[in-house]
């Protein structure tokens, strides 16, 4: 199986064996992501990071991933500082940048724009989020996170129950993760949101057609029990026109310490793609969960570098025997990233 030279535009382009191979490569690269080794597999390669929508984690983690493989990165952020503001088409921009870079990562606020950008371009293009469409690398890192957490707990993705809470209508991370999970067997999905922010019917129908169990709930007290994974998302306020879609969303949907203690399983894995919205009235994932070892949101964010390294290694065809490019690192590195990290999460 080869991803060499391929664009990564949608999670729908993968089959299960390809997902499992990407997972294997990510596990191989974990010592580099954890700073035990450096890698020079992409020495001399250049990646163009084109972000036309606000981002912190995704942009920096793609940059870090390419750099940790030994490559160099050119960054562009925002329309104001690009030739698009002068009227240049996506097609012209794509052709020009493909002459400069060996790989291109792009985020754009319009659904389908990254696929339009990639059309006819032979340099690999990776979709880092396009409007309310998809976010395939986020789905892959979420898959890697669930697999890693379940290995520790002795669980399997096949047959699991996942509760998805929040803005299920606009949340592209939810859409891409569900599309990925369609490739597994006998999963139970609990979708928890008010009607105005419910998951698209097309998505629900596709999960049912794949043989999974789909349930919709208007309350976390009913939807959380029995879940092996809770995946919370913030309200995508930047994609909501007017306030009518917010109607019905309240503190009752917030995942906090009380909700977990009263309604969730003791070993439930708690995930969130970040950023979480800490402003009053946001009703996002609460900070009173931060000292729980099963809160996986920061391990999930860390996994973004590991999985994106695997993506680059495979699309640029350096993944076979990549550990031959590992070199022991010297100098200081932390054994833990934060005092709040779970005791089992050590970097050695």
């Amino acid at each position: 199986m080869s991803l060499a030279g391929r664009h990564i535009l949608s999670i729908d382009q993968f089959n299960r064996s390809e997902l499992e191979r990407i997972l294997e490569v990510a596990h191989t690269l974990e010592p580099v992501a954890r700073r035990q080794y450096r890698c020079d597999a992409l020495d001399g390669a250049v990646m163009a990071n084109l972000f036309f929508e606000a981002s912190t984690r995704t942009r920096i983690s793609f940059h870090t991933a390419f750099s940790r493989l030994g490559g160099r990165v050119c960054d562009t952020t925002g329309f104001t500082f690009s030739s698009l503001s002068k009227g240049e088409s996506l097609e012209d921009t794509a052709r020009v940048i493909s002459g400069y870079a060996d790989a291109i990562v792009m985020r754009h606020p319009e659904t389908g724009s990254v696929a339009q950008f990639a059309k006819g371009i032979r340099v690999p293009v990776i979709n880092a989020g396009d409007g309310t469409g998809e976010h395939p690398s986020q789905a892959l890192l979420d898959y890697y996170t669930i697999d890693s957490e379940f290995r520790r707990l002795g669980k399997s993705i096949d047959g699991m129950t996942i509760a998805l809470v929040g803005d299920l209508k606009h949340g592209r991370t939810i859409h891409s993760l569900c599309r990925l999970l369609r490739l597994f067997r006998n999963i139970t999905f609990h979708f928890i949101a008010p009607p105005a922010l419910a998951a698209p019917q097309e998505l629900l129908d596709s999960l049912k057609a794949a043989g999974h169990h789909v349930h919709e709930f208007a309350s976390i007290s009913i939807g959380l029990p029995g879940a092996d994974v809770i995946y919370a998302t913030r309200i995508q306020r930047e994609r909501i026109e007017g306030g009518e879609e917010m109607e019905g969303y309240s503190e009752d949907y917030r995942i906090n310490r009380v909700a977990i203690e009263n309604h969730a399983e003791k070993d439930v894995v708690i995930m969130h793609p970040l950023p979480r919205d800490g402003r009053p009235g946001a009703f996002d994932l609460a900070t009173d969960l931060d000292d729980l070892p099963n809160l996986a949101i920061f391990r999930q964010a860390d996994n973004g570098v590991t999985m994106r390294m695997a993506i680059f290694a495979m699309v640029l065809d350096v993944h076979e025997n990549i550990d031959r490019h590992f070199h022991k690192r010297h100098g200081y590195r932390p054994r833990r990233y934060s005092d709040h990290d779970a005791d089992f999460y050590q970097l050695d």
Side-chain angles (χ1 to χ4, degrees):
M1 186 274 290
S2 175
L3 295 181
R6 286 171 58 181
H7 302 316
I8 308 297
L9 302 176
S10 169
I11 209 66
D12 291 340
Q13 70 190 76
F14 297 102
N15 59 42
R16 182 160 174 176
S17 65
E18 289 173 328
L19 293 180
E20 291 170 348
R21 179 59 181 138
I22 294 172
L23 203 71
E24 291 174 3
V25 175
H27 281 300
T28 300
L29 288 166
E30 196 167 279
V32 179
R34 293 193 171 199
R35 312 177 195 185
Q36 297 169 4
Y37 294 88
R38 60 183 178 84
C39 178
D40 60 11
L42 291 182
D43 184 31
V46 175
M47 184 266 279
N49 223 9
L50 308 181
F51 275 69
F52 303 114
E53 187 178 51
S55 172
T56 302
R57 270 149 297 278
T58 303
R59 180 174 57 83
I60 293 177
S61 67
F62 268 117
H63 191 137
T64 300
F66 205 83
S67 299
R68 291 208 184 281
L69 290 174
R72 301 289 188 270
V73 180
C74 299
D75 272 310
T76 291
T77 57
F79 285 100
T80 305
F81 303 104
S82 78
S83 291
L84 293 174
S85 66
K86 303 173 184 177
E88 184 174 55
S89 68
L90 281 174
E91 291 82 358
D92 282 2
T93 301
R95 173 58 187 87
V96 170
I97 300 302
S98 66
Y100 300 158
D102 301 285
I104 301 170
V105 176
M106 183 176 178
R107 170 173 285 191
H108 197 282
E110 296 180 11
T111 302
S113 56
V114 182
Q116 177 188 347
F117 178 92
K119 190 175 182 179
I121 298 301
R122 298 298 181 91
V123 171
V125 176
I126 300 169
N127 181 1
D130 61 334
T132 60
E134 285 208 58
H135 198 344
S137 70
Q138 180 71 45
L140 290 169
L141 77 88
D142 289 341
Y143 161 53
Y144 181 75
T145 300
I146 295 171
D147 178 81
S148 298
E149 298 293 317
F150 278 13
R151 286 176 186 235
R152 177 174 57 83
L153 296 170
K155 293 185 175 184
S156 171
I157 294 178
D158 289 316
M160 77 169 182
T161 296
I162 181 169
L164 303 118
V165 187
D167 188 349
L168 310 184
K169 179 178 180 178
H170 305 98
R172 60 193 173 200
T173 61
I174 291 285
H175 302 164
S176 287
L177 178 58
C178 288
R179 287 187 169 96
L180 183 152
L181 292 175
R182 280 187 308 200
L183 298 174
F184 291 81
R185 297 187 298 272
N186 195 36
I187 294 178
T188 299
F189 292 86
H190 290 183
F191 291 94
I192 309 171
L197 295 174
Q201 190 61 47
E202 178 185 2
L203 179 63
L204 305 183
D205 291 342
S206 72
L207 295 172
K208 293 175 184 177
H212 301 296
H213 312 285
V214 176
H215 307 282
E216 292 185 90
F217 301 100
S219 167
I220 60 174
S221 63
I222 304 173
L224 294 187
D228 299 291
V229 175
I230 296 171
Y231 195 106
T233 63
R234 69 180 178 88
I235 301 298
Q236 306 281 305
R237 296 174 187 270
E238 67 274 21
R239 309 192 196 285
I240 295 175
E241 297 181 5
E244 64 277 0
E245 291 183 79
M246 290 291 295
E247 185 176 348
Y249 203 86
S250 67
E251 184 72 22
D252 294 338
Y253 287 94
R254 193 178 195 202
I255 306 299
N256 56 21
R257 192 66 168 259
V258 172
I260 294 298
E261 291 176 349
N262 290 345
H263 307 302
E265 306 301 314
K266 292 187 181 301
D267 62 352
V268 68
V269 177
I270 305 168
M271 298 175 62
H272 189 297
L274 299 179
R276 56 177 167 177
D277 192 339
R279 294 172 294 183
F283 312 129
D284 205 344
L285 193 71
T287 57
D288 64 0
L289 298 168
D290 285 3
D291 62 345
L292 291 184
N294 50 327
L295 182 77
I297 62 173
F298 297 112
R299 297 191 291 276
Q300 181 183 357
D302 295 342
N303 289 339
V305 171
T306 311
M307 178 50 75
R308 287 164 178 142
M309 288 172 65
I311 293 170
F312 285 131
M314 296 188 76
V315 300
L316 293 176
D317 203 23
V318 297
H319 60 289
E320 296 293 346
N321 303 311
I322 196 170
D323 52 354
R324 293 187 302 187
H325 294 272
F326 289 8
H327 307 279
K328 191 71 176 177
R329 278 190 53 171
H330 302 288
Y332 172 77
R333 68 181 183 88
R335 295 192 62 185
R336 300 174 69 187
Y337 294 129
S338 166
D339 292 342
H340 293 291
D341 290 345
D343 290 339
F344 60 79
Y345 190 52
Q346 302 289 332
L347 301 186
D348 290 327

